[in-house]
Amino acid sequence: FILVTGDLSRHGTDQLDQPEETLVDIFNAVAQAFKSAFPRSSLVFCLGNNDAIADYYLDVDDPKIFRLAMNTNMRHILAKSEVETFRRGGFYSRPMSNNVNIIALNTVIYSVNHQPRYSGDDPLGQFAWLETKLSRTRQEGGRVMIVGHIPPTIGSFRRAQFWQNRYLNQYLDLIE
């Protein structure tokens, strides 16, 4: 499989004349390029902070970016079983070989830079979904590989934490 962890788009897309159309063009071009170059490979992708119209902007009450992505060739990368959670929140799970599932999370919503700020504990219901997936996987004796764009760690450049504390703590509790 091929893993793409986001930022398919450029910085400053919101400053272009037609940002939405540009983003659609980029999603289409990337999906087509991967499909052409690697026709037999499974592509697992996560959306990054630059894959939104404005950097780090994702309104959890109206996640338009996921609907936008589903109107491009990106929808052909997802299996039917993955579309519902991706359309709702940009996350999904893909079964791979040997009882291993890849869990692709939307980690932009946990970033210290995420806008607009969300006051709840579980943006887009992703933690509840992840808890269910992990519980089921443990019961079945399976394994998971969790991927996302923004890692739950401290950055090496600014030496600052990437995730908001409340989300980091919830995540760490879930994966214990």
Side-chain angles (χ1 to χ4, degrees):
F1 70 92
I2 298 169
L3 174 62
V4 178
T5 59
D7 281 356
L8 304 176
S9 186
R10 51 165 276 174
H11 289 260
T13 302
D14 59 327
Q15 298 167 14
L16 300 173
D17 289 336
Q18 297 178 316
E20 218 170 274
E21 291 82 2
T22 300
L23 201 55
V24 166
D25 290 346
I26 291 168
F27 286 167
N28 279 328
V30 168
Q32 186 58 44
F34 275 104
K35 188 177 179 182
S36 295
F38 308 102
R40 289 187 221 87
S41 294
S42 177
L43 176 64
V44 176
F45 74 98
C46 305
L47 292 177
N49 54 285
N50 288 315
D51 297 324
I53 302 295
D55 196 21
Y56 288 99
Y57 187 89
L58 197 155
D59 186 346
V60 298
D61 294 320
D62 182 26
K64 179 169 108 174
I65 186 64
F66 310 127
R67 292 189 304 275
L68 184 70
M70 292 310 298
N71 290 327
T72 70
N73 288 337
M74 298 302 273
R75 71 182 177 278
H76 301 302
I77 293 169
L78 297 172
K80 287 181 183 180
S81 61
E82 301 164 353
V83 169
E84 189 266 322
T85 57
F86 184 85
R87 183 175 281 137
R88 183 175 37 134
F91 54 90
Y92 60 97
S93 175
R94 178 167 302 162
M96 302 302 276
S97 61
N98 300 326
N99 207 19
V100 174
N101 285 304
I102 295 179
I103 295 178
L105 295 179
N106 172 357
T107 56
V108 174
I109 56 178
Y110 304 139
S111 170
V112 295
N113 297 314
H114 173 250
Q115 294 296 325
R117 289 285 185 197
Y118 177 74
S119 60
D121 291 330
D122 191 4
L124 303 168
Q126 185 171 234
F127 282 140
W129 173 85
L130 177 61
E131 184 175 29
T132 300
K133 285 288 181 189
L134 293 176
S135 177
R136 187 175 302 141
T137 301
R138 285 181 186 118
Q139 289 172 355
E140 295 170 355
R143 297 176 291 162
V144 298
M145 177 186 297
I146 300 175
V147 298
H149 178 68
I150 299 171
T153 186
I154 293 175
S156 60
F157 180 66
R158 291 189 179 97
R159 294 188 177 95
Q161 189 167 298
F162 287 148
W163 283 25
Q164 296 176 50
N165 278 331
R166 62 188 169 145
Y167 300 137
L168 178 62
N169 292 333
Q170 284 184 76
Y171 177 75
L172 293 176
D173 286 345
L174 281 172
I175 63 169
E176 274 188 356

